[in-house]
């Protein structure tokens, strides 16, 4: 949820770190910080700021550690391109999403050892930090923050020195077992990791080992890469892919020692290993706004491409081809129960899948929040298929649920956007949504990629079970592909209507989203999008439930946003809306082009092209994304980085 970047080489590190942190800011942005080795290798400068990376940049400039003042002869925009003369060339940086301890400067990373000679940055969570802290304080360590992370700095210090730096009296004679110390940063980090339980990606520097960065990983992503300018580490390749696209994605229990000359890899026993390289082939454009005012709009506008790319190669010789499934057609045919497990927006994609799997394949399908699934005792047999949906492929609850399901004997199929992510690696098979990197915290294009992938999966199950003939599959496939153009038509024609509808929500204190069938599933996603980026409270209900309670909320002007596309339950929905209209609600309808009757009850109508009900989640969700963004902008919110949220939720 936080971001790590580190560099050691021949170029100015401050620019490289701040540029990398800005790219990682979508993962966490409560505070940020860097530890820079002094240019002459004689100490560390640790600078931390609450707030966005831009605050850190200002502070580094004030302290003359960044830009021309740092002696590079070039400004921050050069991002380290200048050969370092008098500036630091080794350091680590971090952008934080607070878990333990408030977002303050003291709690921002890097954290340091007692004497400040060792600095570390950490992603993840140290579960036994309270016991470790008590133990370390008992031996004289002085803590400066409320974080779980700081124990690692002190554990590394003790392993490195053989004692606490505060404890000048400790001698070999007093503590022979510990007193020798490793005086080797990677070895000390390895010993520290042996003491902690939890998840971590760690980068550490020590002023006694200039030019060295020690790196460790367990259950929290870390990539490292090297080029002629030096060696890089990051929690996400996006931070370093300008320098190199050939990276090593560390596995759990692996360590790396970065120097300007290259990287040495070791395993948990200290033995040297040679991990495989991965080539990053995303378009760098994904990391840039490319002329759009924000990433969210850019990513919404990419959705026609996502539909096309996710479908590419999926129909071969008239039949569906999902070779990565990890299951034979015979095994698929035996599936008699499906669970979709996911969180947030991905969970809503699951609600859509339930409708499709049950309607087409006639297999019972349950959708469950991964955070609940992992602590229940769900009925799982060898013929159960668990479909884990996760944009990031890192969500802690989804991963834990996958592990649990596999232990209980289920086949697990992952749907994720991130190649090589933990969800992909821990599932029996995987479909990659072709959304490309998603930066805005609110998921948009990845949701569309998930819905397209889940629609394909439902079609495949139905085909294997003999419920859909090949000709029907081909027709559905074509209609699925047609949604790309239909989304584009929404962009081209509905902007004014969406803006008008947003004005009706701007000053509201709450909003209700309603729909029936597929419309209800779409409503949940619409409500989540609105609340997470505009901070306008929103709830979604199956419209038939309104009169069982929520209708009590309706007062004149209360916004009710209805997914009112043509469907088998359209007339029922209209009746539900009339009840809201009678109580003065302002009704915003997402309706099918040509439906003029809806204007009789709706104050605002946003039209989407006519599609069969099964495809409506793709077309009807798009205007809800745009509406949420428009309301958020009217309310002065940062649509890419909503408060309190992080892009990937790697803690429970
Ligand atoms: O990476 P995942 O799909 O597993 O993430 C799940 C949720 O955390 C995510 O969808 C979250 O709800 C987004 N903020 C929604 O926009």
């Amino acid at each position: 949820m936080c971001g790590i970047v580190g560099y050691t080489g021949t170029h100015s590190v401050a620019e490289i770190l701040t540029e990398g942190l800005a790219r990682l800011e979508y993962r966490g942005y409560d505070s940020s910080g860097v530890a820079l080795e002094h240019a002459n290798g004689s100490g560390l400068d640790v600078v931390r700021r609450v707030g966005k990376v831009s605050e850190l940049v200002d502070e580094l400039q004030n302290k003359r550690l960044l830009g021309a003042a740092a002696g590079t002869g070039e400004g921050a925009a050069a991002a380290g391109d200048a050969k370092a003369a008098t500036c630091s060339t080794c350091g680590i940086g971090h952008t934080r999403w607070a878990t333990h301890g408030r977002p303050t400067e003291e709690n921002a990373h890097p954290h340091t050892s007692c004497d400040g000679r060792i600095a570390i940055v950490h992603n993840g969570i140290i579960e036994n930090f309270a016991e470790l802290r008590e133990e370390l304080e008992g031996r004289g360590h002085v803590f400066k923050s409320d974080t779980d992370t700081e124990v690692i700095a002190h554990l590394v210090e003790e392993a490195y020195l053989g004692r606490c730096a505060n404890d000048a009296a400790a001698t070999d004679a007093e503590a022979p077992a510990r007193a020798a110390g490793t005086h080797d940063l990677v070895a000390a980090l390895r010993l520290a990791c042996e003491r902690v339980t939890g998840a971590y990606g760690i980068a550490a520097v020590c002023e006694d080992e200039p030019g060295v960065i020690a790196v460790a990983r367990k259950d929290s992503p870390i990539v490292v890469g090297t080029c002629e300018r030096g060696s890089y580490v990051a929690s996400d390749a996006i931070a370093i892919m300008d320098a190199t696209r050939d990276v090593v994605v560390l596995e759990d229990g692996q360590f790396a020692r970065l120097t300007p000359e290259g990287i040495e890899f070791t395993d948990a026993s200290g033995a040297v290993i040679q991990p495989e390289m991965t080539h990053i082939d995303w378009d760098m454009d994904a990391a840039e706004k490319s002329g759009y005012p924000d990433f969210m709009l850019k990513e919404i506008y990419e959705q026609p491409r996502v539909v096309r790319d996710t479908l590419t190669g999926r129909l071969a010789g008239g039949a569906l081809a999902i070779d990565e499934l990890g299951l034979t057609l015979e095994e698929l045919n035996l599936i008699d129960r499906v669970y979709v497990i996911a969180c947030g927006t991905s969970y809503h994609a699951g609600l859509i899948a339930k409708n499709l799997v049950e309607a087409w394949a006639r297999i019972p399908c349950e959708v469950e929040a991964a955070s609940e699934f992992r602590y229940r005792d769900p009925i799982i047999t060898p013929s159960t298929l668990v479909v884990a949906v996760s944009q990031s492929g890192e969500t802690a609850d989804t991963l834990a649920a996958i592990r649990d399901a596999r232990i209980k004997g289920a086949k697990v199929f992952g749907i994720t956007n991130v190649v090589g992510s933990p969800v992909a690696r821990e599932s029996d098979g995987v479909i990659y949504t072709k959304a490309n990197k998603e930066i805005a915290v609110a998921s948009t294009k990845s949701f569309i990629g998930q819905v397209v992938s889940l629609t394909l999966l439902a079609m495949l199950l139905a085909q294997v079970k003999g419920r859909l003939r090949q000709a029907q599959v081909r027709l559905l496939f074509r209609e699925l592909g047609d949604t790309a153009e239909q989304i584009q038509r929404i962009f081209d024609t509905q902007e004014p209507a969406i803006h008008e509808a947003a004005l009706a929500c701007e000053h509201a204190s709450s909003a209700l989203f309603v729909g029936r069938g597929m419309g209800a599933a779409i409503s949940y996603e619409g409500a989540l999008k609105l609340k997470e980026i505009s901070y306008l409270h929103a709830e979604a209900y199956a419209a038939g439930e309104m009169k069982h309670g929520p209708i009590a909320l309706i007062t004149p002007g209360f916004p009710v946003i209805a997914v009112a596309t043509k469907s088998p339950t359209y007339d029922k929905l209209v009746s539900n809306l009339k009840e809201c209209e009678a109580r003065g609600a302002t009704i915003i309808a997402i309706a099918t082009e040509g439906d003029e009757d809806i204007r009789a009850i709706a104050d605002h109508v946003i039209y989407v092209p006519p599609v069969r009900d099964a495809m409506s989640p793709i077309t009807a969700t798009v205007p809800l994304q745009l509406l949420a963004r428009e309301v958020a902008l009217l309310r002065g919110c940062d649509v890419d980085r909503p408060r309190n949220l992080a892009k990937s939720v790697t803690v429970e």
Side-chain angles (χ1 to χ4, degrees), residues 343-346 390-392 395 441-443 528-529 532 649:
C343 304
T345 285
S346 303
S390 173
Q391 183 282 130
S392 61
T395 301
V441 165
S443 286
L528 176 62
K529 220 68 327 166
E532 73 179 328
V649 184

Side-chain angles (χ1 to χ4, degrees), residues 622-640:
V622 172
L624 296 179
Q625 298 167 341
L626 289 165
L627 178 68
R629 175 181 173 275
E630 198 72 20
V631 175
L633 292 175
L634 287 170
R635 291 162 69 95
C637 303
D638 178 343
V639 295
D640 285 342

Side-chain angles (χ1 to χ4, degrees), residues 114-136:
C114 289
D115 59 2
R117 281 154 68 175
I118 292 166
I120 69 136
V121 290
H122 163 231
N123 282 1
I125 201 147
I126 304 302
E127 287 160 10
N128 57 340
F129 85 97
E131 301 97 276
L132 288 171
R133 180 170 175 148
E134 197 181 337
E135 177 191 320
L136 287 158

Side-chain angles (χ1 to χ4, degrees), residues 316-356:
L320 281 182
I322 310 183
D323 303 337
E324 319 89 305
L325 212 55
L327 294 178
T328 62
L329 294 184
E330 291 70 36
E331 284 172 317
L332 265 189
N333 195 20
L334 292 176
I335 298 298
D336 59 9
R337 180 193 295 267
V338 176
Y339 281 105
V340 181
I341 51 170
C343 304
T345 285
S346 303
Y347 170 84
H348 298 148
L351 295 178
I352 289 153
K354 173 184 170 68
N355 283 287
L356 299 177

Side-chain angles (χ1 to χ4, degrees), residues 100 122-130 132 148-152 155 195-200 202:
H100 289 70
H122 163 231
N123 282 1
I125 201 147
I126 304 302
E127 287 160 10
N128 57 340
F129 85 97
L132 288 171
D148 55 334
T149 296
E150 196 183 339
V151 295
I152 305 169
L155 286 171
R195 298 293 322 279
V196 303
T197 354
Y200 51 79
I202 303 169

